[in-house]
Amino acid sequence: MDRAFFEMLAEQGYTFYDENGDIAISNPGWGQRPEQDHTCLMAMPDESVVITLRLPVDPVVADEPTPLGTVAKVGVALDGVPIFADAPSVLDTGHLPALDVCGGHIDPGGWYHWHATSTDVDTMLDAEGVASYCALAQDASAQFGYAFDGFPMYGSLKVDGVAPEGLDECHGHVGQTALGKTYHYHASSEFPNLPPCLVGVVAQDNFATTANAGIGAANFTSPDHEDAAPPGLEQAAETLGVSVEALMNALGAPGQRPDFVATAKALGVTEAELRDALPARP
């Protein structure tokens, strides 16, 4: 881990190391808050987890693009690794997900996923002047995966090695690819370098895991109670003096970055009270 990076965060009020210079690392879990105010969240792998993904075989353009918020489901890499939108910010949680040099990490459920285009992440790192390189083979013109609407996702360059032009708001266009002439997305040179929205229709229940926590874990419900809240949310609701239903409705859909200001206003609490009550997020 880059010490200069953590020193920069400390100057902004986020101190991730102690007086000995040791970086604080914690294993995230729903309903569990790290003892320290600021830690790197590093979950443990669980090789027993099974992931089920559903993507359209014949993509269909939707009436309106679907915005992709924080940790939203973007797609799946060609090797089967799930791809999600930008990881939660230290501004939201006070903590940092421990992303590796390829832009990925382990979900609290125990399975690995990316928050970047792993086969073109070096383009982004070079653009930012970051001296760190992904161990995976890089190819900025190759396809790296499929979005959850079924359309292919490519690196930051076209198949001829030229930068794409005329990209839409979702960073995609219709053009020639190895799959023929079709709509497809391109990675950008800025993190997160993934599509900010999806133009196509996504399948219902398109992501599920057998894990006991994290994204896709039985929709964050317990097996004996269909409408159960995510772990830690009942305690948060009690602390805030509101109902669990009201808190869940105010926070919005799982996997999206909550608007803490709007949520606090809707619940009649302060933003600080809301952040302190909520369980740590991955």
Side-chain angles (χ1 to χ4, degrees), residues 2-270:
D2 192 322
R3 178 56 186 268
F5 170 72
F6 287 107
E7 290 178 348
M8 176 193 70
L9 287 176
E11 292 175 357
Q12 300 176 17
Y14 301 97
T15 303
F16 283 77
Y17 52 87
D18 58 22
E19 60 275 8
N20 297 322
D22 296 325
I23 304 298
I25 298 175
S26 61
N27 182 8
W30 293 102
Q32 302 174 5
R33 296 187 64 85
E35 294 182 2
Q36 298 97 328
D37 290 336
H38 310 127
T39 69
C40 290
L41 305 178
M42 187 176 296
M44 300 299 294
D46 182 354
E47 297 182 359
S48 69
V49 173
V50 176
I51 299 175
T52 301
L53 304 97
R54 294 186 174 94
L55 280 71
V57 175
D58 298 310
V60 176
V61 176
D63 293 335
E64 296 289 340
T66 301
L68 297 177
T70 306
V71 202
K73 296 173 288 186
V74 177
V76 58
L78 295 181
D79 61 0
V81 175
I83 302 173
F84 290 85
D86 196 7
S89 168
V90 65
L91 300 177
D92 289 344
T93 66
H95 307 287
L96 281 176
L99 298 182
D100 59 30
V101 292
C102 295
H105 68 153
I106 299 174
D107 181 85
W111 44 272
Y112 184 84
H113 61 279
W114 279 310
H115 289 282
T117 58
S118 59
T119 53
D120 191 19
V121 69
D122 285 355
T123 302
M124 176 186 65
L125 295 173
D126 289 341
E128 296 294 334
V130 178
S132 181
Y133 302 97
C134 177
L136 297 175
Q138 301 288 290
D139 189 344
S141 64
Q143 180 186 2
F144 64 87
Y146 286 92
F148 269 109
D149 59 6
F151 288 112
M153 297 187 292
Y154 282 79
S156 54
L157 302 177
K158 297 191 298 182
V159 292
D160 58 5
V162 177
E165 297 179 349
L167 299 178
D168 59 24
E169 60 182 311
C170 297
H171 224 257
H173 66 166
V174 175
Q176 193 64 39
T177 72
L179 302 174
K181 190 173 184 180
T182 181
Y183 182 89
H184 58 283
Y185 301 97
H186 278 285
S188 69
S189 59
E190 299 178 354
F191 191 86
N193 62 347
L194 297 166
C197 54
L198 297 183
V199 302
V201 177
V202 301
Q204 292 185 345
D205 302 322
N206 59 3
F207 187 87
T209 79
T210 59
N212 294 320
I215 300 170
N219 200 27
F220 299 106
T221 62
S222 65
D224 59 345
H225 188 358
E226 183 178 355
D227 298 320
L233 221 62
E234 292 186 3
Q235 178 61 48
E238 181 179 346
T239 300
L240 294 170
V242 301
S243 69
V244 175
E245 182 180 6
L247 179 56
M248 293 178 67
N249 289 337
L251 287 171
Q256 303 292 324
R257 175 182 293 175
D259 184 331
F260 287 98
V261 175
T263 299
K265 183 177 180 180
L267 296 174
V269 300
T270 67

